[in-house]
């Protein structure tokens, strides 16, 4: 049997041009064309190694196009990936996304091995709050339940009553059945949710370092200069959300494009996500915002290859934390996705 740990670095061979012609055509509008022959040997090597290992590669919509289109078996938003992990047949999951997503996969599939190609792929929202902060908030607001965004650590999820994503935040808050809820940690998502429900929300001061950078002025510019329809993720500031035609989660934006078929659109969200959607809607012209998530960008073809070759980095979560976090995540999976967002 091949010693996978000593596999050579993948290099170009001429047959790749033919074998990956369809993929190269899909990537052409999305990545600089000189990069495609550099990516293909790695894509080919990963796909072969993935089969040898019996692994499933799951990639978040913010992954770069060569990962999203080249090696992922399952793509989606954070809710979609959590659902996929819970129902996955393979014993080995490689999560191409950020750390909290890999933790959610492990919590929902505890008997499986979950790998992340770079342990440092974090998230400014997840690092904005600790389990001790949640306990302190509970002490300040006795009896008030906690709904935490999926963008939190396993330890924070374990202190929460339920988890939500941007695809079901309003629905999750309302499903608790109280007139007040502690909603963590994204302040902007929290304000957006508060504008859509009668439930009173106690908010935290977490921010997404990517979405908080967009300004109302940029949104107005896209509309006035390019006549574009505007779509934004609810992690953007209220000033931005007030300017746009549609506010929705990662998946909801795709559904909105399918429904509305705008001639031009500016997607006010992470930049790779705009690229990945662009390839599905060739008739729509995309005005591309360019805020890349630096944490998502830590995942590369090279470290996915190393991850499969060396079986690293394994996600481990203490059993008691995992059990409590699982109860909160399962409460979300039972509710699912709100159709409209
Ligand atoms: P989704 O829940 O829409 O996948 O978003 C996750 C995220 O990190 C957004 O910045
Ligand atoms: Fe976290 Fe923002 Fe990156 Fe999403 S885009 S993973 S919320 S830092």
């Amino acid at each position: 049997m091949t010693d996978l740990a000593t596999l050579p670095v993948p290099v170009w061979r001429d047959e790749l041009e033919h074998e990956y012609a369809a993929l190269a055509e899909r990537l052409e509008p999305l990545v600089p064309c000189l990069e495609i022959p550099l990516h293909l040997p790695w894509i080919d090597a990963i796909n072969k190694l993935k089969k040898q290992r019996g692994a499933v590669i799951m990639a978040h919509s913010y992954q770069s196009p060569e990962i999203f289109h080249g090696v992922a078996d399952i793509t989606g938003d954070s809710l979609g990936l959590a659902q996929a992990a819970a129902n996955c047949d393979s014993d080995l999951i490689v999560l191409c996304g950020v750390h909290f997503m890999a933790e959610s996969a492990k919590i929902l599939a505890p008997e499986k091995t979950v790998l992340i190609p770079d342990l440092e792929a974090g998230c400014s929202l997840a690092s904005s709050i600790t389990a001790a902060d949640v306990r302190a908030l509970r002490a300040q607001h006795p009896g008030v339940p906690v709904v935490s965004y999926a963008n939190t650590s396993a330890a924070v999820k374990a202190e929460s009553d339920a988890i939500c994503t941007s695809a079901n935040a309003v629905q999750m808050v309302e499903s608790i059945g109280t007139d007040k809820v502690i909603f963590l940690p994204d302040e902007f998502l929290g304000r957006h949710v508060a504008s859509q429900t009668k439930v009173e929300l106690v908010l935290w001061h977490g921010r997404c370092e990517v979405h908080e950078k967009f300004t109302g002025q940029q949104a107005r510019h896209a509309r006035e200069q390019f006549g574009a329809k505007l779509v934004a993720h609810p992690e953007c500031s209220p000033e931005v959300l007030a300017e746009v035609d549609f506010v929705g989660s990662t998946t909801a934006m795709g559904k909105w494009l399918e429904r509305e078929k705008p001639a031009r659109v500016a997607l006010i969200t992470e930049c790779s996500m705009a690229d990945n959607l662009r390839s599905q809607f060739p008739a729509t012209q995309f005005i591309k915002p360019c805020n890349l998530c630096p944490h998502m960008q830590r995942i590369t073809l090279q470290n996915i290859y190393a991850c499969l070759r060396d079986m690293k980095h394994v996600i481990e979560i203490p059993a008691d934390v995992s059990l409590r976090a699982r109860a909160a995540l399962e409460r979300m999976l039972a509710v699912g996705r709100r159709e409209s967002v």
Side-chain angles (χ1 to χ4, degrees), residues 242-309:
E243 295 289 340
V244 306
D245 299 287
F246 180 70
V247 179
S249 70
T250 299
T251 300
M253 288 185 196
K255 288 188 182 158
W256 185 89
L257 287 170
E258 218 168 277
R259 215 169 45 236
E260 302 292 325
K261 299 183 177 44
R264 271 188 191 168
V265 71
L267 286 191
I268 307 179
T269 186
E270 206 268 351
C271 191
S272 295
M273 148 88 187
D275 278 335
N276 292 329
L277 269 183
R278 195 149 62 94
S279 66
Q280 286 173 41
F281 299 98
T284 296
Q285 192 185 358
F286 283 70
I287 310 297
K288 223 174 89 166
C290 231
N291 284 354
L292 278 166
C293 172
H295 309 286
M296 291 280 181
Q297 289 296 304
R298 293 187 80 100
I299 311 298
T300 63
L301 290 173
Q302 288 69 27
N303 61 24
I304 297 171
Y305 179 73
C307 158
L308 277 164
R309 184 191 60 198

Side-chain angles (χ1 to χ4, degrees), residues 60-62 76-81 98 100-101 123 125 149-151 164-167 208 210-211 233-235 248-251 269-270 273 293 296:
H60 187 261
S61 309
Y62 291 6
D77 62 4
S78 58
L79 175 59
L81 297 185
V98 293
F100 75 81
M101 295 175 181
C123 167
L125 282 170
Y149 196 26
N151 300 36
C164 71
T165 74
S166 54
C208 163
V210 177
H211 290 90
H233 193 280
E235 287 168 11
S249 70
T250 299
T251 300
T269 186
E270 206 268 351
M273 148 88 187
C293 172
M296 291 280 181

Side-chain angles (χ1 to χ4, degrees), residues 15 54 66 103 110 119 126 143 150 204 238 252 272 340:
E15 303 80 64
E66 66 276 11
E103 280 192 329
L119 270 177
W204 188 248
S272 295
S340 60

Side-chain angles (χ1 to χ4, degrees), residues 45-270:
I46 290 167
N47 287 332
K48 287 186 174 134
L49 201 44
K50 175 174 77 177
K51 269 206 193 104
Q52 264 176 287
R53 292 285 195 201
V56 165
I57 297 186
M58 300 187 184
H60 187 261
S61 309
Y62 291 6
Q63 291 291 289
S64 350
E66 66 276 11
I67 295 172
F68 188 88
H69 295 289
V71 299
D73 301 295
I74 294 169
T75 56
D77 62 4
S78 58
L79 175 59
L81 297 185
Q83 286 167 324
N87 298 317
C88 178
D89 288 334
S90 166
D91 288 334
L92 179 60
I93 298 173
V94 175
L95 202 303
C96 299
V98 293
H99 193 259
F100 75 81
M101 295 175 181
E103 280 192 329
S104 293
K106 179 66 184 172
I107 292 164
L108 290 166
E111 71 293 354
K112 300 187 191 302
T113 301
V114 177
L115 303 177
I116 185 163
D118 187 334
L119 270 177
E120 301 297 314
C123 167
S124 64
L125 282 170
S127 57
S128 73
I129 188 157
T130 65
D133 293 327
V134 184
R135 288 192 293 271
L137 275 164
R138 281 200 191 268
Q140 275 169 40
H141 303 275
V144 179
V146 174
V147 174
S148 292
Y149 196 26
N151 300 36
T152 44
S153 65
V156 165
K157 287 186 176 76
E159 299 292 335
S160 309
D161 295 284
I163 306 304
C164 71
T165 74
S166 54
N168 57 20
V170 175
Q171 202 181 3
M172 284 311 303
V173 160
E174 291 182 346
S175 77
I176 303 293
T178 53
D179 51 17
K180 192 170 177 181
V181 160
I182 300 171
F183 185 87
L184 308 170
D186 188 350
E187 181 196 339
F188 289 159
L189 174 64
R191 286 212 234 165
H192 178 65
V193 172
S195 73
Q196 303 199 357
T197 179
K198 292 198 169 73
V199 179
E200 184 191 343
L201 300 186
V202 177
L203 300 181
W204 188 248
H205 48 71
R207 300 268 179 93
C208 163
E209 68 185 82
V210 177
H211 290 90
E212 75 169 343
K213 287 201 185 89
F214 294 110
T215 64
Q217 165 63 25
Q218 282 173 317
R220 283 190 292 280
H221 181 77
R223 190 177 47 234
E224 286 158 15
Q225 292 291 309
F226 300 103
K229 292 281 183 193
L230 305 181
V231 176
H233 193 280
E235 287 168 11
C236 294
S237 71
E239 183 208 1
V240 169
L241 300 189
E243 295 289 340
V244 306
D245 299 287
F246 180 70
V247 179
S249 70
T250 299
T251 300
M253 288 185 196
K255 288 188 182 158
W256 185 89
L257 287 170
E258 218 168 277
R259 215 169 45 236
E260 302 292 325
K261 299 183 177 44
R264 271 188 191 168
V265 71
L267 286 191
I268 307 179
T269 186
E270 206 268 351

